[in-house]
Amino acid sequence: MSTIVSRLDIVQIFCEVDDFCNHWENLWQQVPQLASTKGERRSTCRMCLSEVMTIVIAFHGSGYKTFKEFYTLHVLPGWREAFPNLVSYTRFVELMPWCLMLLCCFLHTRTGEITGISFIDSTPINVCHNCRVHSHKVFRGRQ
């Protein structure tokens, strides 16, 4: 199965994501933080956020239908050398929400120039049972 991931340069993606994360962390350290509460436990993770983000980005270009299939069949057996601190699938899913905000910021910095040209998916969506198609009134009268 030839997937887009096999043609992606994971090292290049990781380097760009890691540079972004390091820059973000430096900026984060300059902002005054709230004092931690007494007795607060901070557990450290074996994987860094940039590794988690790289795997999430690679999944979206992989062609796999589910993340579980991608992680268990592609990442765990094949990417152990690139990511020596890989965690189990269950633990990785727990880590994914921690990288969401940073991933959105990273992807926002990678947007291209706005040209005014937009693409729209015109795939019809069935909104009611076929026997009620003619009585559906959402866009009736608008051309």
Side-chain angles (χ1 to χ4, degrees), residues 9 12 18 20 26-28 42 45 47 51 57 60 72 86 91 103 106 112 124 135 137-139:
D9 186 5
Q12 181 182 357
D18 195 50
F20 177 82
N26 289 338
L27 292 174
W28 184 258
R42 281 219 155 161
C45 179
M47 292 184 75
E51 291 174 324
I57 291 169
H60 288 287
T72 56
L86 280 177
R91 177 66 178 140
L103 182 63
F106 172 75
S135 64
K137 300 177 184 178
V138 173
F139 291 111

Side-chain angles (χ1 to χ4, degrees), residues 9-69:
D9 186 5
I10 298 302
V11 175
Q12 181 182 357
I13 294 171
F14 175 75
C15 288
E16 290 183 23
V17 170
D18 195 50
D19 290 344
F20 177 82
C21 288
N22 289 336
H23 180 67
W24 177 81
E25 190 173 332
N26 289 338
L27 292 174
W28 184 258
Q29 296 300 328
Q30 294 173 2
V31 177
Q33 305 296 318
L34 293 173
S36 62
T37 59
K38 188 175 182 180
E40 180 181 348
R41 242 181 87 199
R42 281 219 155 161
S43 60
T44 58
C45 179
R46 289 185 355 202
M47 292 184 75
C48 62
L49 278 178
S50 54
E51 291 174 324
V52 175
M53 288 172 55
T54 302
I55 292 172
V56 171
I57 291 169
F59 163 67
H60 288 287
S62 69
Y64 281 91
K65 291 187 179 194
T66 64
F67 183 75
K68 183 174 188 174
E69 182 181 4

Side-chain angles (χ1 to χ4, degrees), residues 20 53 57 99-111:
F20 177 82
M53 288 172 55
I57 291 169
C99 77
L100 179 63
M101 187 267 308
L102 199 55
L103 182 63
C104 290
C105 293
F106 172 75
L107 294 176
H108 186 70
T109 64
R110 299 303 188 255
T111 57

